[in-house]
Structures are given as C-alpha cells and as structure tokens.
C-alpha cells in the first residue's frame, strides 16, 4: 500500500476519499489517527497530518478537538459531485483522444458502451 | 547563574570516570602483583638452591611497577576517549577523572610494592637471611617511609606520563607522538634520576648543599608531575574523537 | 521536552587541507525526524560530529538547544551520536556497555535497551568485536534509541543491517519516537527506505547545503515533463533542469522548482507531468559532472 509515484500524503488523501465514496467510511465515522497511520504504514505522522489538513480544507473530514478526525456529514455527496464534474475531463476526454489516434469512431464507442451496459 | 558552571564539570561525572578507570587499573594491578609474587617467590627458591639469598628480590619489581601501569594508561587513554565522549560526557571530566585515576593507581601500586617489601623483609628475618635493597634507589633504601614517599612520587610521574603519551599520540599522530616522547616519557627517566645519589646534575641530594634531600627531590618530582598533568588536561580538552573504522 | 533544536550558521570544518564543510547553514527543528542526506564524502559525518562535539569546528556558529555544544555538559548529556563504528568499548560485553551507559546517561532506558536487544537478537554477553557488521549496527541502534536523548543523531547506522532488521529498526524508531518525542537526525546516502520516516530533509553535497526543506515540499518541487522533444524543450526553457532523457522523438526532462501554472500550461500544449521520487531527485541533484556548477540548464 502507498507505493505509487504520487507524494505519500496525496495517496493517503486519495485512499480516504475513495473509502468515503465507496461507503467504507461513513459520515461521522472516525478515521485512523496520524499515530496509527504512522505505525501501520511506517511513515512520519506529519505526512498523514498533511493529508488530513487537505481533507479538512475540502470539507471531507472535520476535527473534534482532543478526540480525532471524523468524516463530515455530506462528504460523500460532495465527493460524488466533484468526481462527476471531473469524470469527463479525466476519463472521457483522454479516451476520445486515444480513440482518435487509433481511428476508432465515436459511434463505435457508443455502440460498445451500450453493449456492455446491456438492455435496461 | 552566579557560578560559572560551564567551567567545572559535575563532580559526579568526574568521580564516575575516575572510579571506572581506577577499577580497570586495580583489576590489572591485581594480576600484575599476583604474577610478581609468583615470579619473585620462584626466583628466591632458585637462588636458595644455587646459592645464598642476601638481598631483596621484590625490590626488582620496582621497574615493572613503574612501566606496567604506564603502558596500561597509554592504551586506556586512546581507547576510552571515544567511549567517554560518545556517552555524552565532557573532555574536562575525562581529563580530571583520568588524573584522579592515575593518582589512585600510583598509590595502589606503591602500597602493594611497599607492603610486599615489608612481608619479604619479615620472611627473610624469620629465616635469618640478609635483607637489603640492592638497586639504584639509595635515597629510598634507608627506611620504609622514605621508600613509600619516593615510590609514590615516581609512580605518579610515570602514570601521568602514560596518560600524556597516550593523548599525544592521539592528538599528534604517530610521527609527532614519537618525536614528543622525550617530553612526554622523558620525565619518568628524570624522576628516577632525581631519587638517585650519583646522577650527576640531577642528583637532588647534592642540591642546596645536600640539606633535606628527600624534600627537594619530592618537590622537584611534584613540579614535573604537575606540568605533565597540565599538558595532559590541555591536550585532552581539545581532542577530537577519531574517525575509527571498525 | 520535545527535543533540542539545532541551528548551524556558516559552519566550516577543515581536516588539514581538505574542507569537509564549507560555510554550511541549516536548522533542525526540535521534535522532528530529519534526514541528513548526501553522497559519501559530502560532509554528513563531519556535520554530525560537530553537533555532538566529537570534533571542533574551524569556524562558524553551532547552537544546540541555543548553546554551543563544545564541552557543554548539559547539551552533551542530551545529545547522542551513533556512528557506524559504534564508539563503544570493544573489549567489553554488550551488557556491560549498557550498564555503563545507564550509569552515565540520565535519559537512558535500560528497559527499552533490553527489549531492543531481544528484538535484534543480540546476545548481551558477546563483545562488539565478535559481532557481524549487521549486528554491530543493530547494537548502535539499541544504544541510540535507548539513550532517549533530546537530540539523537544516527549516522548511517541502518546501512549494515539486513532487510528484516532495517524494518524492525524503522518500526521501533517510529514507535518510541511517538511515545517519547525528540529530535532525531538520520543520515544516509540511501533514501528510498527512510524517505517515509522523514519530515524534514537537509541535502549536503561536497561540503555545502544543496537544499533544506520539509520532505513533501522537496518532493513536490520536482516534476517530470514528458512529450514531443521540441515541445518539452520549449516548456523547460529557462527552468532548472536536472536531468534529460530522449527516446526517439519523445523527451523527458526533470525539473526542480515546480510552478503553480505548470499543470495548466502542460495540458494546453499536450505534455504529461509526473512526480519525482525523492531518491531520484537526490541522485539528479548530486550527480553532476565536475565543473558544472550551475543548476541552470546546460546542454
């Protein structure tokens, strides 16, 4: 875990975000402390703290003084909205670029997508 | 802060250092004197077989009692500096602790030497053998108190010299350390001469018209020891821990 | 107490004629795990030796917890430097050395020492000169961590250890540091494994400070730019390029000093940006042919 090329704190923040998105972490649920992160993943707690700061700024987590970090109410909805907004820029557009290079038409792609999705 | 505490190391770390070093030296001294007793006894037995015992044999252990702790202290100084500094202690406490240990070592060896001489004299007396000291220590041969004082002083010079030789090699390296030997180890030879009667210009027994020769010799030796202790202290306080590659 | 801070200004250290450190300045924050990184001979050991008063500086200012460490009883009692060579009595059993340290060091924890001895499978009755390199390094770690000094300097101690022992070392280091916060400096020329433990980084190169910052900033400052060679060349013009690679018409340049608008600009011209691992960044920064002093682009 956490061996990608992105900075560690980015990877930690991404992990928490995806846990919130998938529902593995629910609203008002406590996340691991920086100390737990440090000992579990053999990292400096400051790195985990930096990920937490980013997530607090985004409104995904909030801090209860003296207790720890918790998932904010509505964090999942907020992340979903963000991911939806960036879905086309991050996933669809690069795919179209790749399709253009390979000479695959938009119709062909749409057809395949319908096939995969199956009849509704 | 009203007292300049940065100048004076805590007494406890000096005491701990001194007792640690002294402990090591006393341990080695026990071995040394154990061996000496065996060798001297064997020598006496051999002499009684081939001839007649007519002088103290133990007296010849004096040279060993001077040079053995001298060489031990050379080695200890070189080996102990990194351990001491790495344990978070100052060089001041090392210098003072080493000097106290050298003094203690000199006292221990002198006490053992004179004690064994007394034992030997008693044994010789019981066996009706002649007991006298045949050696180059005429100042000391008169009575045991003089013997004790002169031995202590000679050993103090030798032991401080051992420390000084050790730190000189550490600070100056092999070449300069060896070239400095006349200054660092030379005083031991000088101290031997001071307690002799016919050592030419060094015979303190002839200074000041020969009045109170032991006092004059003692003061001269103390002066030498003091100067060497000062040099050792200075050199130790500036010493780097060498980059030893184990 | 969370640990001693360190302030070094214009520190120069010379051995005879060689200059080991040339007017070096950096700070080490109290209570933080800092990496002192640099290639062999970059001056790491000399710098640590001056901080721990193992050797004297030639000139400059060194303040440990606000005071000059040289012959400073309080500061020295709170400082522990463990070098690879150990600096323990080689003719004494490990347990006697621990007795000695327990007696001399006010902060020493014999309890931690004993548990670490078990963890690293060290026989307390052997002598250091009978140990393998790895075990000797492990004993250095025992001494360094059990001393629990406000300033603990570990000079390449982990290099001789095998992988399981190194991971055990990282675990106990973090665990004990979390329980007893203090300033720890790890020096190394191998960064990969220790990178995650570090909050701050000081990089030395040929006796000077190449860079000093927190690890994330340093890492974030490096970026790779990949794409068509001419577009990459245009993108990185006037930038601090530390490495270039070309494969056919595709080029990759490694930059130091990322800018806020890099992501947008790269997207506009169709270039791909990527992160640089600290180890790679370090290699690029320190691996420069002799004579090429400028960090600016030099083709």
């Amino acid at each position: 875990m956490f061996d990608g090329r992105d900075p560690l704190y980015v990877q930690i923040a991404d992990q928490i975000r995806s846990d919130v998105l998938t529902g593995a972490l629910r609203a008002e649920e406590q996340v691991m402390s920086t100390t737990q992160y440090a000992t579990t993943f053999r990292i400096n707690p400051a790195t985990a703290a930096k990920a937490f700061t980013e997530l607090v700024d985004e409104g995904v987590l909030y801090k209860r003084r003296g207790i720890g970090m918790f998932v904010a109410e509505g964090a999942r909805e907020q992340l979903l909205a963000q991911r939806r907004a960036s879905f086309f820029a991050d996933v669809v557009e690069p795919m179209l670029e790749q399709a253009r290079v390979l000479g695959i038409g938009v119709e062909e792609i749409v057809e395949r997508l319908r096939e995969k999705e199956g009849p509704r | 802060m009203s007292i300049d505490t940065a100048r004076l190391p805590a007494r406890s770390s000096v005491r701990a250092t001194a007792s640690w070093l002294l402990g090591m030296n006393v341990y080695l001294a026990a071995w040394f004197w154990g061996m000496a007793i065996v060798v001297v006894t064997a020598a006496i037995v051999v002499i009684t077989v081939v001839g007649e015992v007519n002088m103290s044999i133990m007296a010849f252990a004096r040279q060993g009692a001077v040079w053995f702790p001298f060489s031990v202290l050379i080695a200890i100084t070189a080996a102990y500096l990194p351990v001491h500094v790495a344990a978070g202690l100052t060089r001041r406490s090392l210098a003072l602790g080493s000097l106290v240990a050298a003094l203690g070592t000199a006292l221990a060896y002198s006490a053992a030497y004179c004690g064994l001489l007394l034992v030997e004299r008693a044994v010789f007396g019981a066996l009706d053998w002649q007991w006298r000291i045949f050696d180059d220590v005429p100042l000391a041969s008169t009575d045991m108190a003089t013997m004790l004082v002169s031995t202590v002083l000679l050993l103090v010079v030798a032991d401080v010299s051992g420390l000084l030789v050790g730190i000189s090699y550490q600070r100056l390296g092999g070449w300069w350390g060896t070239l400095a030997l006349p200054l660092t180890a030379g005083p031991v030879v000088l101290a031997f001469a001071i307690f002799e009667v016919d050592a030419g210009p060094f015979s303190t027994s002839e200074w000041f018209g020969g009045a109170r020769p032991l006092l004059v010799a003692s003061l001269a030796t103390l002066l030498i020891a003091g100067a060497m202790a000062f040099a050792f202290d200075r050199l130790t306080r500036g010493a780097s821990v060498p980059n030893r590659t184990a | 107490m969370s640990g001693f801070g360190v302030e070094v200004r214009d520190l120069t250290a010379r051995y005879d004629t060689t200059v080991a450190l040339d007017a070096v300045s950096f700070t080490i924050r109290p209570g933080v795990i800092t990496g002192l990184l640099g290639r062999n001979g970059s001056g790491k050991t000399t710098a640590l030796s001056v901080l721990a008063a193992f050797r004297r500086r030639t000139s400059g200012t060194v303040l440990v917890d606000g005071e000059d460490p040289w012959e400073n009883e309080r500061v020295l009692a709170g400082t522990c430097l463990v070098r690879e060579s150990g600096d323990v009595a080689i003719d004494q059993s490990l347990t006697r050395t621990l007795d000695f340290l327990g007696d001399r060091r006010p902060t020493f924890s014999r309890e931690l020492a004993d548990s670490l001895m078990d963890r690293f499978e060290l026989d307390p009755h052997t002598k250091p000169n009978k140990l393998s390199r790895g075990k000797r390094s492990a004993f250095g770690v025992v001494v360094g961590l059990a001393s629990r000094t406000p300033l603990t300097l570990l000079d390449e101690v982990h290099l001789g250890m095998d992988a399981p022992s190194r991971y055990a070392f990282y675990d106990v280091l973090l665990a004990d540091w979390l329980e007893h916060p203090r300033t720890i400096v790890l020096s190394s020329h191998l960064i990969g494994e220790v990178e995650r433990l570090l909050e701050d980084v000081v990089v030395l190169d040929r006796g000077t400070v190449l860079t000093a910052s927190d690890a994330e900033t340093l890492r974030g400052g490096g970026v790779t730019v990949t794409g068509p060679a001419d577009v990459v060349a245009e993108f990185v013009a006037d930038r601090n390029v530390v490495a270039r690679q070309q494969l056919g018409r595709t080029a990759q340049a490694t930059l130091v000093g990322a800018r806020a608008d890099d992501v947008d600009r790269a997207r506009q011209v169709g270039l791909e940006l990527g992160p640089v691992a600290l180890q790679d960044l370090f290699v690029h920064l320190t691996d420069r042919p002799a004579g090429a002093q400028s960090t600016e682009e030099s083709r």
Side-chain angles (χ1 to χ4, degrees):
Chain A
M1 203 177 210
F2 300 137
D3 48 9
R5 302 269 291 178
D6 275 335
L8 262 174
Y9 78 94
V10 174
Q11 296 183 51
I12 293 169
D14 280 346
Q15 179 67 43
I16 294 175
R17 281 192 202 99
S18 76
D19 282 352
V20 171
L21 271 173
T22 59
L25 273 174
R26 293 169 197 285
E28 300 301 330
E29 198 173 319
Q30 185 169 9
V31 297
M32 285 206 301
S33 68
T34 52
T35 307
Q36 284 170 310
Y37 262 98
T39 47
T40 311
F41 299 111
R42 222 177 258 133
I43 58 170
N44 194 296
T47 309
K50 193 163 179 184
F52 286 1
T53 309
E54 194 172 277
L55 292 170
V56 167
D57 289 347
E58 284 176 20
V60 175
L61 300 181
Y62 72 94
K63 187 177 192 170
R64 277 194 215 154
R65 200 159 289 284
I67 305 177
M69 291 288 181
F70 292 81
V71 178
E73 200 69 61
R76 180 161 185 269
E77 290 71 20
Q78 184 195 329
L79 284 171
L80 273 176
Q82 277 171 12
R83 286 291 166 101
R84 283 193 182 117
S86 61
F87 176 73
F88 287 93
D90 288 352
V91 179
V92 179
E93 277 161 27
M95 181 186 72
L96 283 173
E97 180 65 30
Q98 190 73 16
R100 212 173 356 249
V101 172
L102 298 171
I104 300 171
V106 173
E107 280 310 312
E108 204 178 328
I109 297 171
V110 171
E111 204 172 303
R112 174 61 71 89
L113 290 175
R114 291 240 163 80
E115 244 169 65
K116 278 274 174 199
E117 186 79 346
R120 292 217 164 198
Chain B
M1 249 189 291
S2 55
I3 311 165
D4 191 2
T5 47
R7 290 278 137 217
L8 285 169
R11 200 180 297 151
S12 64
S13 71
V14 176
R15 195 191 299 140
T17 304
S19 57
W20 171 266
L21 292 172
L22 197 56
M24 238 180 300
N25 275 296
V26 167
Y27 173 79
L28 290 167
W31 273 100
F32 174 84
W33 288 111
M35 299 284 280
I37 290 168
V38 171
V39 170
V40 167
T41 312
I44 292 171
V45 170
V46 169
I47 293 169
T48 49
V49 170
V50 299
E52 187 189 332
V53 183
N54 58 8
M55 66 179 84
S56 167
I57 307 298
M58 187 52 82
F60 292 106
R62 189 175 158 102
Q63 289 286 337
V66 169
W67 297 111
F68 179 72
F70 167 83
S71 39
V72 167
L73 284 161
I74 292 176
I76 284 182
T77 307
Y80 185 65
L81 174 75
V83 178
H84 184 88
V85 176
L89 301 167
T90 59
R91 291 155 178 81
R92 281 191 306 276
S93 64
L94 173 62
L96 288 177
S98 300
L99 288 169
V100 172
L103 194 66
T105 305
L107 288 171
Y109 276 84
S110 308
Y113 179 63
C114 293
L116 287 168
L117 279 182
L118 287 175
V119 171
E120 189 193 43
R121 187 167 71 180
V123 172
F124 279 27
L127 296 169
D128 215 15
W129 293 344
Q130 191 192 356
W131 191 91
R132 64 186 172 90
I133 290 179
F134 174 88
D135 202 2
D136 43 8
V137 280
L139 262 187
S141 61
T142 48
D143 69 305
M144 206 44 80
T146 313
M147 175 61 109
L148 184 64
V149 171
S150 71
T151 308
V152 167
L153 287 167
L154 181 58
L155 280 167
V156 166
V157 171
D159 292 355
V160 175
S161 168
L163 295 176
L164 188 57
V165 171
I167 197 70
S168 310
Y169 271 98
Q170 176 113 2
R171 289 294 306 272
L172 307 172
W175 269 105
W176 289 106
T178 307
L179 286 174
L181 279 175
L183 284 173
T184 53
V188 185
V189 182
L190 188 63
F192 268 116
I194 282 172
F195 286 101
E196 277 176 39
V197 175
D198 50 359
F202 300 114
S203 301
T204 45
S205 52
E206 284 161 23
W207 295 3
F208 309 109
R212 295 177 160 272
L214 183 65
L215 183 70
V216 174
S218 302
L219 287 176
T221 326
L222 278 177
L223 213 62
I224 293 168
M228 286 199 298
F230 180 77
F232 169 72
D233 182 65
R234 291 286 120 183
L235 287 171
T236 304
R237 288 187 188 207
S240 288
V241 178
N243 287 322
R244 192 175 51 175
T245 43
Chain C
M1 182 193 295
S2 67
F4 287 172
V6 174
E7 199 178 335
V8 173
R9 281 194 304 263
D10 300 323
L11 168 63
T12 295
R14 258 182 232 119
Y15 294 95
D16 298 328
T17 53
T18 10
V19 180
L21 291 172
D22 188 8
V24 158
S25 298
F26 60 87
T27 56
I28 290 168
R29 291 191 287 153
V32 162
I33 304 180
T34 298
L36 182 64
L37 312 177
R39 301 177 60 180
N40 290 331
S42 58
K44 301 187 297 288
T45 300
T46 304
L48 295 180
S49 298
V50 171
L51 294 191
F54 273 37
R55 54 160 294 138
R56 236 195 248 264
R57 59 182 189 271
T58 309
S59 63
T61 309
V62 173
L63 297 176
V64 175
D65 202 39
E67 292 176 22
D68 185 346
W70 183 260
E71 287 294 86
N72 186 320
E73 196 148 290
R74 181 185 72 84
V75 169
L76 287 186
T79 304
C80 177
L81 166 60
V82 178
R83 305 188 299 178
E84 216 199 331
S85 51
D87 298 311
V88 294
I90 51 164
D91 53 351
Q92 264 171 20
S93 65
L94 305 187
T95 184
R96 273 207 75 194
T97 288
L98 296 179
D99 290 344
F100 172 80
L101 289 170
D103 190 49
R104 297 299 192 280
R105 284 203 171 278
T107 50
F108 193 84
S109 163
R110 185 57 190 258
E111 196 189 343
L112 177 62
D114 287 338
S115 88
L116 293 177
M117 292 287 284
D118 281 351
R119 181 94 185 235
F120 292 116
E121 295 168 350
L122 288 164
D123 174 6
H125 301 293
T126 46
K127 294 176 178 177
N129 50 5
K130 297 274 191 298
L131 294 175
S132 68
R133 186 183 176 212
K135 293 283 183 200
R136 209 159 39 208
S137 296
F139 188 62
V141 167
V142 173
V143 168
L145 291 182
S147 291
R148 275 203 188 135
T149 42
L151 177 64
T152 303
L153 312 164
L154 303 173
D155 188 20
E156 313 231 274
V157 281
H158 56 291
L159 290 187
M161 298 161 87
D162 59 11
S165 310
R166 285 203 306 276
Y167 282 93
F169 162 52
Y170 306 144
D171 285 346
V172 294
L173 172 77
L174 264 179
D176 199 63
W177 176 75
L178 286 164
E179 234 173 276
H180 301 272
R182 50 197 192 265
T183 312
I184 294 182
V185 180
L186 287 177
S187 93
S188 184
H189 66 264
L190 284 175
I191 299 157
E193 280 180 5
V194 292
E195 177 181 343
R196 299 161 149 226
L197 304 176
L198 308 177
E199 186 169 346
D200 285 357
V201 171
V202 175
V203 182
L204 290 181
D205 189 37
R206 291 176 212 169
T208 59
V209 172
L210 205 57
T211 177
S213 70
D214 67 286
E216 292 295 347
T217 304
L218 181 62
R219 221 178 272 128
V223 64
T224 59
V225 185
T226 315
D230 48 338
V231 187
V232 169
E234 198 182 323
F235 188 88
V236 302
D238 312 324
R239 300 288 291 271
N240 185 2
V241 179
V242 294
R244 285 170 190 282
Q245 272 181 308
Q246 189 150 356
L247 200 65
R249 292 176 57 194
T250 304
Q252 183 177 69
T254 305
L255 288 180
V256 173
R259 293 176 190 162
D261 62 343
D262 277 349
V263 178
D264 290 339
R265 281 184 55 216
R267 188 172 284 172
Q268 277 165 24
V269 295
L271 291 176
E272 207 173 297
L273 296 184
V276 186
L278 204 52
Q279 174 78 53
D280 295 347
L281 200 60
F282 167 73
V283 169
H284 291 321
L285 286 172
T286 54
D287 177 32
R288 223 167 298 129
Q293 294 294 317
S294 167
T295 53
E296 292 300 318
E297 174 181 21
S298 53
R299 254 194 265 194

